[in-house]
Short mmCIF file of all heavy atoms in Angstrom, two decimals:
data_model
loop_
_atom_site.label_atom_id
_atom_site.label_comp_id
_atom_site.label_asym_id
_atom_site.label_seq_id
_atom_site.Cartn_x
_atom_site.Cartn_y
_atom_site.Cartn_z
N THR B 232 44.49 -6.03 25.96
CA THR B 232 45.69 -6.79 26.29
C THR B 232 45.36 -8.26 26.41
O THR B 232 46.13 -9.12 25.98
CB THR B 232 46.33 -6.28 27.59
OG1 THR B 232 45.28 -5.96 28.51
CG2 THR B 232 47.16 -5.05 27.33
N LEU B 233 44.19 -8.52 26.98
CA LEU B 233 43.76 -9.91 27.17
C LEU B 233 43.76 -10.66 25.84
O LEU B 233 44.23 -11.78 25.73
CB LEU B 233 42.35 -9.92 27.78
CG LEU B 233 41.78 -11.27 28.16
CD1 LEU B 233 42.43 -11.77 29.45
CD2 LEU B 233 40.26 -11.19 28.34
N TYR B 234 43.22 -10.01 24.80
CA TYR B 234 43.12 -10.66 23.50
C TYR B 234 44.42 -10.55 22.71
O TYR B 234 44.55 -11.14 21.65
CB TYR B 234 41.98 -10.05 22.68
CG TYR B 234 40.61 -10.56 23.06
CD1 TYR B 234 40.11 -10.36 24.34
CD2 TYR B 234 39.82 -11.25 22.13
CE1 TYR B 234 38.86 -10.82 24.69
CE2 TYR B 234 38.57 -11.71 22.49
CZ TYR B 234 38.09 -11.50 23.77
OH TYR B 234 36.86 -11.95 24.12
N GLY B 235 45.34 -9.73 23.19
CA GLY B 235 46.62 -9.56 22.51
C GLY B 235 46.47 -8.96 21.13
O GLY B 235 47.19 -9.28 20.19
N LEU B 236 45.47 -8.10 21.00
CA LEU B 236 45.16 -7.58 19.68
C LEU B 236 45.86 -6.26 19.38
O LEU B 236 46.01 -5.88 18.23
CB LEU B 236 43.65 -7.36 19.56
CG LEU B 236 42.80 -8.61 19.43
CD1 LEU B 236 41.35 -8.26 19.61
CD2 LEU B 236 43.04 -9.29 18.10
N ALA B 237 46.28 -5.58 20.45
CA ALA B 237 46.76 -4.22 20.26
C ALA B 237 47.92 -4.15 19.28
O ALA B 237 48.07 -3.19 18.55
CB ALA B 237 47.18 -3.64 21.60
N THR B 238 48.69 -5.21 19.23
CA THR B 238 49.89 -5.18 18.40
C THR B 238 49.58 -5.27 16.92
O THR B 238 50.29 -4.72 16.09
CB THR B 238 50.81 -6.35 18.78
OG1 THR B 238 50.01 -7.52 18.85
CG2 THR B 238 51.49 -6.10 20.10
N VAL B 239 48.52 -5.99 16.58
CA VAL B 239 48.23 -6.19 15.15
C VAL B 239 47.30 -5.12 14.59
O VAL B 239 47.05 -5.10 13.40
CB VAL B 239 47.60 -7.57 14.87
CG1 VAL B 239 48.60 -8.66 15.22
CG2 VAL B 239 46.31 -7.73 15.61
N PHE B 240 46.82 -4.29 15.47
CA PHE B 240 45.77 -3.40 15.00
C PHE B 240 46.27 -1.97 14.87
O PHE B 240 46.87 -1.44 15.79
CB PHE B 240 44.60 -3.46 15.97
CG PHE B 240 43.30 -3.30 15.27
CD1 PHE B 240 42.74 -4.38 14.61
CD2 PHE B 240 42.68 -2.08 15.22
CE1 PHE B 240 41.55 -4.24 13.94
CE2 PHE B 240 41.49 -1.94 14.55
CZ PHE B 240 40.92 -3.03 13.90
N PRO B 241 46.01 -1.31 13.72
CA PRO B 241 46.45 0.08 13.57
C PRO B 241 45.72 0.98 14.57
O PRO B 241 44.50 0.92 14.64
CB PRO B 241 46.06 0.43 12.14
CG PRO B 241 45.15 -0.62 11.68
CD PRO B 241 45.33 -1.82 12.55
N PRO B 242 46.44 1.75 15.33
CA PRO B 242 45.82 2.56 16.37
C PRO B 242 44.80 3.55 15.83
O PRO B 242 43.84 3.90 16.53
CB PRO B 242 46.99 3.29 17.03
CG PRO B 242 48.20 3.00 16.21
CD PRO B 242 47.90 1.89 15.28
N ALA B 243 44.96 3.96 14.58
CA ALA B 243 44.02 4.94 14.00
C ALA B 243 42.59 4.39 14.03
O ALA B 243 41.63 5.12 14.19
CB ALA B 243 44.42 5.25 12.57
N LEU B 244 42.52 3.04 13.90
CA LEU B 244 41.19 2.43 13.84
C LEU B 244 40.56 2.27 15.22
O LEU B 244 39.41 1.91 15.33
CB LEU B 244 41.29 1.06 13.18
CG LEU B 244 41.32 1.08 11.66
CD1 LEU B 244 41.22 -0.32 11.13
CD2 LEU B 244 40.20 1.94 11.11
N ALA B 245 41.33 2.51 16.24
CA ALA B 245 40.79 2.33 17.59
C ALA B 245 40.09 3.59 18.09
O ALA B 245 39.64 3.63 19.23
CB ALA B 245 41.89 1.92 18.54
N ASP B 246 40.02 4.60 17.26
CA ASP B 246 39.37 5.83 17.67
C ASP B 246 37.85 5.63 17.66
O ASP B 246 37.25 5.43 16.60
CB ASP B 246 39.76 6.95 16.69
CG ASP B 246 39.07 8.25 17.03
OD1 ASP B 246 38.29 8.28 18.01
OD2 ASP B 246 39.30 9.24 16.31
N PRO B 247 37.21 5.67 18.84
CA PRO B 247 35.78 5.39 18.89
C PRO B 247 34.95 6.37 18.06
O PRO B 247 33.89 6.00 17.55
CB PRO B 247 35.43 5.48 20.38
CG PRO B 247 36.59 6.11 21.03
CD PRO B 247 37.79 5.92 20.17
N TRP B 248 35.43 7.60 17.93
CA TRP B 248 34.65 8.56 17.13
C TRP B 248 34.65 8.17 15.67
O TRP B 248 33.62 8.24 15.00
CB TRP B 248 35.20 9.98 17.30
CG TRP B 248 34.94 10.48 18.68
CD1 TRP B 248 35.86 10.67 19.67
CD2 TRP B 248 33.66 10.83 19.23
NE1 TRP B 248 35.25 11.11 20.80
CE2 TRP B 248 33.89 11.23 20.57
CE3 TRP B 248 32.37 10.84 18.74
CZ2 TRP B 248 32.87 11.63 21.42
CZ3 TRP B 248 31.34 11.25 19.56
CH2 TRP B 248 31.59 11.63 20.89
N LEU B 249 35.83 7.74 15.18
CA LEU B 249 35.92 7.31 13.79
C LEU B 249 35.01 6.09 13.57
O LEU B 249 34.24 6.02 12.60
CB LEU B 249 37.36 6.94 13.44
CG LEU B 249 37.53 6.34 12.04
CD1 LEU B 249 37.54 7.45 10.99
CD2 LEU B 249 38.79 5.49 11.94
N LEU B 250 35.09 5.15 14.52
CA LEU B 250 34.27 3.94 14.39
C LEU B 250 32.78 4.28 14.44
O LEU B 250 31.98 3.71 13.70
CB LEU B 250 34.63 2.94 15.49
CG LEU B 250 36.03 2.34 15.37
CD1 LEU B 250 36.41 1.61 16.65
CD2 LEU B 250 36.10 1.40 14.18
N GLY B 251 32.45 5.22 15.31
CA GLY B 251 31.05 5.67 15.39
C GLY B 251 30.60 6.25 14.06
O GLY B 251 29.47 6.02 13.60
N LEU B 252 31.50 7.00 13.44
CA LEU B 252 31.20 7.62 12.15
C LEU B 252 30.96 6.55 11.08
O LEU B 252 30.05 6.66 10.26
CB LEU B 252 32.37 8.53 11.75
CG LEU B 252 32.00 9.85 11.07
CD1 LEU B 252 31.15 10.70 12.00
CD2 LEU B 252 33.25 10.60 10.65
N VAL B 253 31.82 5.51 11.12
CA VAL B 253 31.66 4.42 10.16
C VAL B 253 30.30 3.75 10.36
O VAL B 253 29.59 3.44 9.41
CB VAL B 253 32.81 3.38 10.32
CG1 VAL B 253 32.52 2.15 9.47
CG2 VAL B 253 34.13 4.00 9.93
N MET B 254 29.95 3.55 11.62
CA MET B 254 28.65 2.95 11.94
C MET B 254 27.51 3.80 11.40
O MET B 254 26.53 3.29 10.85
CB MET B 254 28.53 2.80 13.45
CG MET B 254 27.71 1.64 13.90
SD MET B 254 28.34 0.07 13.31
CE MET B 254 27.92 -0.94 14.69
#
Side-chain angles (χ1 to χ4, degrees):
Chain B
T232 39
L233 185 76
Y234 280 61
L236 287 168
T238 47
V239 296
F240 214 80
L244 278 188
D246 178 359
W248 291 108
L249 174 80
L250 292 168
L252 218 61
V253 171
M254 211 59 145

